[in-house]
Amino acid sequence: MSRADDTLAAGLAELAAAGRSRRRRTVAARQHGGVRVSVEGRECIAFCSNDYLALADHPRVVEAFCAAARRWGVGSGASHLVSGHDTEHATLEEELAEFVARPRALLFSTGYMANLAVATVLAGRGDHVLEDRLNHASLLDAGLATGARFARFRHGDVVALQGRLARLEGQTRKLVMSDGVFSMDGDVAPLRELADACRHSGAQLLVDDAHGFGVLGATGAGSVQEAQLGLVDVPILMCTLGKAAGTFGAFVAGSATLIETLLQRARTYIYTTALPPAVAAASRVSLQLMRDEPWRRTRTLENAARFRAGVAALGLRAMPSRTPIQPLLVGAEAAAVALSEALFELGFWVPAIRPPTVPAGTSRLRFTFSAAHSAEDVDRLLDALALLRQRGSFPEPEAP
Ligand SMILES: Cc1ncc(COP(=O)(O)O)c(C=O)c1O
């Protein structure tokens, strides 16, 4: 081994010693809206996908993908500003803008890149970026990448944010970023209060609605729609297509000026290959299905509610979430991993989420629900949790 590899190996050994090594499970087959999976020789019910509306394997979405690949080829062949932007992308952008009631939308290859784009275009040295402490890693990384002064406020604490904004009065640019639905906790940000605080202090607000888009709101346009907030309240909306839309990619929606600025300046837009046109074509059908089949989001939320009620009846520590993301707080990392393994043995795939993804001492099981789960699937999961509880596998909550 080279000296460089020795150093890396020591780092890996350290991770392993701390019980923080991660590993991938290879899925051999995925069926029925992705909830029936064959993995490592075991058939399980998955409660870990973000394909909330079970659209990833919808026959119409798959057919749109195949037809577009036959027509356009698989790769887009270039970045959007060179020759990779075609009518599927252009039409999808128009349809997305309409779906979230914003003047214009811009497609990105991933949500991570979209967040980086917004942050680095709207903030730089001498500016201020303020973020909820539990924001998704892509938002935190984006904030740090700006080179601006960077601060995190306590989770959901708008008063703390207001205090910080008040101290920055008269400063030039301030950018506030928050998840709409927090990816590891499942709770919804206090969007109206955030929007008011930002408006009053002249700060720009970005809401990352990766987990609300398609699921929340009267027509599935997300947490911002649910909170009845418009463009003036939330001028920058980022949503991903790899979750409820069941495809891949992301978009930023906002004013025509904001979108044109991103198109002209965002390095993660300019210097990367455009999304495959077939992905755009498939996303267009997903969007249509979101519009035409509201029962999907209703069923997803009903499954999550059924789980929450069952968990409360079992006396387990559910976290306060009304979204398809339902975490059960465990506390210690090792206990969360052991529970995840025990569930896997019983035929349920539920990941343990631990530091650094979540703060130390808050390791958890993170269940996600989909329109493809049946009530019986949820009940079987609850039976498995009851069994583990009986076996004493859940640590007793510590006294406050
Ligand atoms: C809240 C949030 N924002 C952004 C992302 C990144 O999106 P993408 O997977 O498209 O990079 C994710 C998850 O992947 C997420 O959960």
Side-chain angles (χ1 to χ4, degrees):
M1 259 201 298
S2 68
R3 185 117 45 97
D5 267 359
D6 281 345
T7 312
L8 295 179
L12 290 174
E14 223 170 85
L15 266 184
R20 288 195 180 171
S21 289
R22 301 175 189 229
R23 76 178 182 93
R24 301 170 298 178
R25 285 196 160 115
T26 305
V27 177
R30 196 180 269 137
Q31 285 173 328
H32 190 67
V35 303
R36 296 277 184 281
V37 295
S38 167
V39 53
E40 294 177 353
R42 188 178 289 281
E43 304 300 313
C44 355
I45 308 180
F47 289 94
C48 47
S49 162
N50 301 316
D51 179 17
Y52 300 122
L53 304 181
L55 292 176
D57 70 351
H58 190 288
R60 281 178 51 201
V61 177
V62 173
E63 185 42 40
F65 182 89
C66 294
R70 279 191 291 270
R71 178 166 174 215
W72 297 96
V74 173
S76 59
S79 63
H80 284 279
L81 290 181
V82 177
S83 60
H85 190 70
D86 60 47
T87 52
E88 295 294 353
H89 299 115
T91 315
L92 175 60
E93 285 183 346
E94 283 167 21
E95 291 169 354
L96 287 168
E98 192 191 335
F99 194 82
V100 296
R102 296 286 190 283
R104 205 175 154 191
L106 189 69
L107 274 176
F108 283 84
S109 295
T110 68
Y112 201 115
M113 292 162 78
N115 283 336
L116 268 176
V118 172
T120 53
V121 167
L122 296 188
R125 263 177 223 299
D127 298 329
H128 292 266
V129 172
L130 301 165
E131 301 208 31
D132 188 292
R133 179 163 280 293
L134 297 189
N135 272 355
H136 188 257
S138 61
L139 280 178
L140 297 172
D141 290 357
L144 290 168
T146 60
R149 293 205 190 123
F150 178 79
R152 297 194 291 175
F153 54 90
R154 225 172 48 171
H155 178 50
D157 188 345
V158 182
V159 174
L161 171 66
Q162 280 167 329
R164 284 184 181 273
L165 287 171
R167 289 198 289 281
L168 297 177
E169 216 177 299
Q171 300 277 345
T172 49
R173 296 196 298 180
K174 292 159 276 189
L175 175 64
V176 175
M177 304 202 276
S178 177
D179 282 18
V181 174
F182 286 87
S183 56
M184 296 301 138
D185 293 61
D187 56 334
V188 181
L191 291 172
R192 179 165 289 284
E193 291 80 1
L194 279 177
D196 287 347
C198 290
R199 250 203 348 268
H200 286 136
S201 66
Q204 295 255 51
L205 173 63
L206 160 69
V207 173
D208 171 339
D209 208 19
H211 296 276
F213 177 69
V215 176
L216 299 181
T219 64
S223 60
V224 173
Q225 181 188 48
E226 186 190 61
Q228 300 186 334
L229 298 173
L231 181 68
V232 178
D233 309 293
V234 179
I236 315 159
L237 177 63
M238 198 292 291
C239 302
T240 60
L241 299 171
K243 304 188 193 303
T247 60
F248 192 76
F251 67 97
V252 176
S255 72
T257 309
L258 168 78
I259 296 305
E260 189 60 25
T261 305
L262 294 176
L263 188 155
Q264 297 295 337
R265 293 198 191 282
R267 297 171 69 83
T268 57
Y269 182 75
I270 299 169
Y271 299 111
T272 197
T273 301
L275 203 68
V279 172
S283 303
R284 292 184 56 205
V285 174
S286 285
L287 207 57
Q288 194 60 52
L289 288 163
M290 283 183 195
R291 265 201 207 95
D292 296 347
E293 301 187 355
W295 64 264
R296 289 179 182 275
R297 53 180 179 275
T298 308
R299 182 170 307 162
T300 307
L301 292 170
E302 278 171 5
N303 282 333
R306 187 179 187 91
F307 172 79
R308 200 163 54 245
V311 156
L314 288 173
L316 297 173
R317 290 197 288 169
M319 293 173 64
S321 161
R322 58 186 171 79
T323 69
I325 301 170
Q326 293 289 324
L328 266 191
L329 193 60
V330 177
E333 291 175 45
V337 173
L339 279 162
S340 170
E341 292 294 338
L343 281 169
F344 192 66
E345 292 299 313
L346 294 170
F348 302 93
W349 191 359
V350 180
I353 309 289
R354 47 204 168 120
T357 308
V358 292
T362 72
S363 290
R364 64 200 67 177
L365 293 169
R366 177 179 180 268
F367 303 80
T368 49
F369 292 87
S370 136
H373 287 124
S374 63
E376 199 201 334
D377 291 336
V378 179
D379 292 347
R380 284 174 58 195
L381 172 66
L382 289 166
D383 288 345
L385 290 172
L387 179 71
L388 293 177
R389 177 146 179 62
Q390 219 172 35
R391 284 188 195 160
S393 306
F394 280 93
E396 286 306 318
E398 282 164 26

